[in-house]
Amino acid sequence: MASPHKVTYHKGKLQAYLDRERIFPACLELDLSTECNRRCPLCPSATGGSPAQLELRFIERLLARLGGETRGLLLSGGEPTMAATFPDTLRIAREHGFVEIAVVTNGDFLSEDVVAEALCAHATTIRVSLYDWTDTPEADLRGTLHRIEHLRARIEKTKSPLQIGISALTTTENAPKFAEVGRAVASAGAHWIYFHPFCIRWEEGAPQRIDQRRVLEAIADFRNTSADGFDVFTFPDRYAEYEIRFDGYHAAHFLLVVGADGMNYLGAEVKYQRRHILAELGQRWDAYFLWHKERLDRIAAVHSDTYPALGSRHRGVLYNHVIQELLDGETTSFHDEQAGETSYLYPHIL
Ligand SMILES: C[S@@+](CC[C@H](N)C(=O)[O-])C[C@H]1O[C@@H](n2cnc3c(N)ncnc32)[C@H](O)[C@@H]1O
Ligand code: SF4
């Protein structure tokens, strides 16, 4: 299960933050390029503007700056596996001490040698997003299933530790198909599947979930019948209705989001929304950008009452709520002996 408490795994950083000290983020979410071979109508990364891609020089500088302090790297986009910088980025991240590297992909290029080789050599996991599977999943996903089989065979052959994950967007409408799509990807060789809510209104910077009734029940039903060795995950708090409250977007100190335009954005749910730029890293590189007063002030000024993307219940929003409770002294759970010791899958990928 994913959890808003995953941020508390990073106990040292969290304690330092509560003590108002400077910290490096636990995880970097980096878009290599905004380019993509698909045109999903509700793409969260559609910029509406001109395409952008990061130069390798920039990527190396950023990874070198964070290396040794930040252990998690999540590559996204656009389609990251299409970017010319993809293989080198994975290699350089390992050289700079990133411990867990996750790649979010549409899976269309997994059969390309250069992509599969870089993944097997350096990545911890991929998360293949499935689109267009609501009618007849097996038939709709034939190409993707084939590429998953191909990659799994390569993993076995090279004894790579790479894990193949799948992500499926949920709605009340597609809930009856979860078991079918889950079984199809499991038999193609995926290690796990992750269900998360379909959102709309990305273009306004105000993403929100659409109807998710009966989704958690359908996921639980599928989990009860799924084969051993294939994991079924979700993030229950993303489906919940409890009120979220925070004064300052604390998660921006733990999860650093950098777009393919070289901008640091507040959170993944508002990427490419200009009003949520925290720092401009491309043209105005400064090794101390994390702690610039202007950046810190922008983060501190965000409040749950007026945050337009609250309705997405995205992970950053949920981490904010947990950190706010700690700041307000409303929970003591973090200070007990067990805190930070709960086992999370890929704990460095926030
Ligand atoms: C913008 S994509 C970029 C990476 C890659 N091209 C892909 O599609 O996985 C990043 C994430 O956005 C998610 N996503 C796409 N459309 C979405 C939607 N309408 N609501 C919520 N998440 C969405 C995908 O599941 C994926 O995890
Ligand atoms: S595959 Fe990913 S980046 Fe490409 S259009 Fe779809 S959601 Fe956007």
Side-chain angles (χ1 to χ4, degrees):
M1 283 301 168
S3 154
H5 294 274
K6 193 173 185 180
V7 69
T8 67
Y9 174 87
H10 302 276
K11 199 170 179 184
K13 286 187 194 295
L14 192 46
Q15 188 60 62
Y17 181 65
L18 297 177
D19 293 341
R20 319 250 168 220
E21 292 168 19
R22 290 176 169 191
I23 58 166
F24 277 89
C27 181
L28 166 66
E29 175 171 326
L30 184 67
D31 283 5
L32 296 182
S33 163
T34 56
E35 283 185 66
C36 188
N37 58 314
R38 298 201 178 206
R39 293 285 173 273
C40 304
L42 284 157
C43 173
S45 294
T47 58
S50 42
Q53 54 255 312
L54 295 176
E55 286 178 17
L56 199 59
R57 218 158 38 105
F58 172 88
I59 296 169
E60 181 148 30
R61 192 165 52 181
L62 182 62
L63 296 179
R65 177 65 181 127
L66 300 174
E69 303 280 356
T70 302
R71 306 245 159 115
L73 172 65
L74 191 153
L75 293 182
S76 189
E79 177 46 42
T81 61
M82 273 176 76
T85 50
F86 178 70
D88 285 332
T89 301
L90 292 184
R91 178 183 51 76
I92 293 167
R94 282 292 180 205
E95 286 169 6
H96 285 295
F98 283 79
V99 174
E100 288 166 6
I101 301 177
V103 177
V104 181
T105 172
N106 63 28
D108 287 346
F109 301 95
L110 295 180
S111 302
E112 291 198 0
D113 254 356
V114 65
V115 172
E117 192 182 324
L119 285 168
C120 286
H122 305 297
T124 309
T125 190
I126 54 161
R127 199 177 91 179
V128 181
S129 310
L130 298 185
Y131 302 109
D132 315 318
W133 48 271
T134 42
D135 294 333
T136 47
E138 280 273 10
D140 297 344
L141 296 175
R142 201 162 288 147
T144 306
L145 295 174
H146 180 71
R147 287 185 287 276
I148 291 169
E149 276 169 22
H150 194 265
L151 184 63
R152 180 63 187 257
R154 190 172 186 130
I155 288 173
E156 301 305 327
K157 193 165 153 214
T158 59
K159 299 197 176 10
S160 162
L162 179 73
Q163 299 253 304
I164 304 176
I166 303 295
S167 88
L169 292 164
T170 65
T171 62
T172 297
E173 214 179 311
N174 70 13
K177 296 281 181 180
F178 292 170
E180 209 178 330
V181 74
R183 278 195 288 270
V185 294
S187 61
H191 296 91
W192 50 266
I193 189 166
Y194 172 68
F195 291 99
H196 59 138
F198 190 96
C199 293
I200 56 171
R201 294 181 60 196
W202 291 100
E203 69 291 355
E204 295 162 52
Q208 62 178 58
R209 301 165 302 174
I210 62 167
D211 193 0
Q212 301 290 333
R213 281 169 301 136
R214 294 191 291 282
V215 162
L216 286 180
E217 294 84 336
I219 296 169
D221 287 349
F222 169 51
R223 185 182 292 117
N224 291 336
T225 61
S226 71
D228 283 349
F230 179 73
D231 290 314
V232 180
F233 301 112
T234 190
F235 197 150
D237 292 69
R238 293 209 56 199
Y239 294 90
E241 298 294 340
Y242 64 82
E243 193 189 340
I244 290 176
R245 194 181 53 76
F246 54 84
D247 191 2
Y249 196 103
H250 315 296
H253 296 287
F254 295 83
L255 171 62
L256 179 69
V257 176
V258 177
D261 52 2
M263 302 292 174
N264 167 209
Y265 290 92
L266 185 71
E269 68 281 4
V270 289
K271 232 181 323 192
Y272 302 112
Q273 295 294 324
R274 296 202 64 80
R275 68 191 141 144
H276 293 297
I277 291 174
L278 296 180
E280 217 176 293
L281 308 185
Q283 299 306 317
R284 299 197 208 157
W285 174 260
D286 178 330
Y288 294 92
F289 74 90
L290 286 171
W291 309 296
H292 275 187
K293 184 174 181 311
E294 206 177 274
R295 181 174 185 272
L296 300 180
D297 287 348
R298 283 183 185 156
I299 295 171
V302 181
H303 196 281
S304 47
D305 283 350
T306 49
Y307 185 54
L310 201 71
S312 66
R313 295 183 83 92
H314 227 264
R315 65 197 197 282
V317 168
L318 295 168
Y319 296 149
N320 287 341
H321 183 77
V322 166
I323 299 169
Q324 188 67 52
E325 285 185 336
L326 290 167
L327 281 166
D328 295 345
E330 285 175 15
T331 170
T332 54
S333 61
F334 171 63
H335 297 285
D336 71 27
E337 288 302 304
Q338 301 299 314
E341 286 172 17
T342 312
S343 61
Y344 291 106
L345 191 65
Y346 317 122
H348 298 288
I349 306 292
L350 285 183

